[in-house]
Amino acid sequence: MDNTNNVKNSDEIEIDLRQIFAVLMGKAVVILVAAIIGALAAFVYTKFMVEPTYTSKTQVYVRNSSSNDSQQVSVNDLQSSTYLTKDYLLLCKSSPVLKKVIEELKLDISEDQLAEKIEVTTPEDTRILNISVVDNDPFKAKSIADSVREAAKVQIVEVTGVESVENVDGDNGAELPKYPTGPNTKLNILIGFILGLVISISIIIIRFLLDDTIKTQDDIENYLGLSVLGLIPKTSSPSKKKNAKA
């Protein structure tokens, strides 16, 4: 008895999925239009409502005092530099560095807001620190990057006791960005397209599932459990026939 019920339930699920698929196929044009509208909305929002951002980058090299003891870098030197890498990254965004940058450039932002603009990374097995600053003004991004670099150099030497921190960029300082690095227009358009697709499909499926009106003979048998004895064909009224002949 249970097997019969399981088969029946499986058949009902299969029929429902087929119906949903058929409904979606019938609304394919609507779904596509909604996706295109979502993509266009994302494009307009990105181009005209989101202010572009610029990224300025600079690099520093951390020189350990043990490097002068021998011409070759020892294994201990490499290991210690690896252990200190995370310390260098944290020190570049530490409170003393952020405070000094804010005071020097007279920035009207908090330390947390400044920290969000700064990203510090290091290539694996190196003592080079990559400092990147993102801002809506390319000149301001460069100024902040230069200031962070100089303040971080002092902080790293004072706290970790390394020999020195040298500028990789030389006297030129951080690069002045020529082109915006954000927002990502293509990515936003893709997200808008997908959102339009998902939202339109969801609305169509929900409307289909909430629609409990009887439309076909199968609906009567499935929902009401009644057998259909006969069907009355739909015919046009006599008045319509007369009008058609006339």
Side-chain angles (χ1 to χ4, degrees):
M1 185 70 178
D2 293 339
N3 293 335
T4 303
N5 291 334
N6 290 336
V7 172
K8 184 177 180 180
N9 291 336
S10 299
D11 292 340
E12 290 176 356
I13 293 174
E14 183 179 0
I15 292 172
D16 290 339
L17 292 177
R18 287 179 179 178
Q19 289 177 342
I20 291 174
F21 181 76
V23 170
L24 293 177
M25 290 300 295
K27 299 289 186 178
V29 175
V30 176
I31 295 173
L32 181 60
V33 170
I36 293 175
I37 291 175
L40 289 175
F43 173 78
V44 172
Y45 176 78
T46 303
K47 280 294 183 182
F48 301 103
M49 301 184 67
V50 178
E51 192 173 358
T53 57
Y54 299 83
T55 303
S56 180
K57 300 178 180 180
T58 186
Q59 292 179 317
V60 295
Y61 177 79
V62 181
R63 188 190 302 275
N64 287 344
S65 58
S66 60
S67 299
N68 291 334
D69 296 338
S70 62
Q71 293 182 350
Q72 294 183 344
V73 179
S74 65
V75 175
N76 291 334
D77 188 25
L78 290 175
Q79 289 179 344
S80 63
S81 65
T82 301
Y83 296 147
L84 288 171
T85 296
K86 291 184 178 180
D87 296 339
Y88 299 151
L89 299 181
L90 293 175
L91 288 172
C92 287
K93 298 176 68 172
S94 61
S95 181
V97 171
L98 299 176
K99 285 182 179 178
K100 188 172 183 179
V101 173
I102 292 174
E103 292 175 0
E104 180 180 335
L105 300 179
K106 298 179 180 180
L107 301 176
D108 188 20
I109 56 176
S110 65
E111 293 183 19
D112 292 336
Q113 291 173 327
L114 177 58
E116 291 178 357
K117 295 175 178 288
I118 304 170
E119 181 181 10
V120 184
T121 59
T122 179
E124 189 175 359
D125 298 329
T126 69
R127 289 178 300 206
I128 293 178
L129 301 179
N130 299 319
I131 302 174
S132 301
V133 175
V134 179
D135 195 87
N136 300 121
D137 185 346
F139 295 96
K140 191 175 181 181
K142 172 178 168 54
S143 299
I144 295 175
D146 286 332
S147 183
V148 169
R149 182 195 60 212
E150 296 305 317
K153 286 167 56 179
V154 175
Q155 186 72 4
I156 291 174
V157 172
E158 290 181 353
V159 174
T160 64
V162 296
E163 180 185 358
S164 64
V165 181
E166 306 294 337
N167 293 339
V168 177
D169 308 310
D171 297 332
N172 296 328
E175 64 179 67
L176 177 64
K178 298 180 180 179
Y179 306 100
T181 55
N184 192 331
T185 305
K186 292 182 179 179
L187 178 60
N188 289 349
I189 290 175
L190 179 60
I191 293 174
F193 183 87
I194 294 175
L195 284 177
L197 204 68
V198 172
I199 292 174
S200 60
I201 290 176
S202 301
I203 292 175
I204 291 172
I205 291 177
I206 291 174
R207 290 187 61 182
F208 170 76
L209 295 177
L210 295 179
D211 186 6
D212 56 357
T213 57
I214 303 299
K215 296 182 178 66
T216 64
Q217 174 183 344
D218 293 334
D219 291 340
I220 296 175
E221 294 177 352
N222 292 332
Y223 301 138
L224 301 180
L226 301 176
S227 299
V228 178
L229 299 179
L231 298 175
I232 301 175
K234 183 179 180 180
T235 58
S236 57
S237 62
S239 58
K240 288 184 179 180
K241 288 183 178 180
K242 290 179 181 179
N243 294 333
K245 290 180 180 180

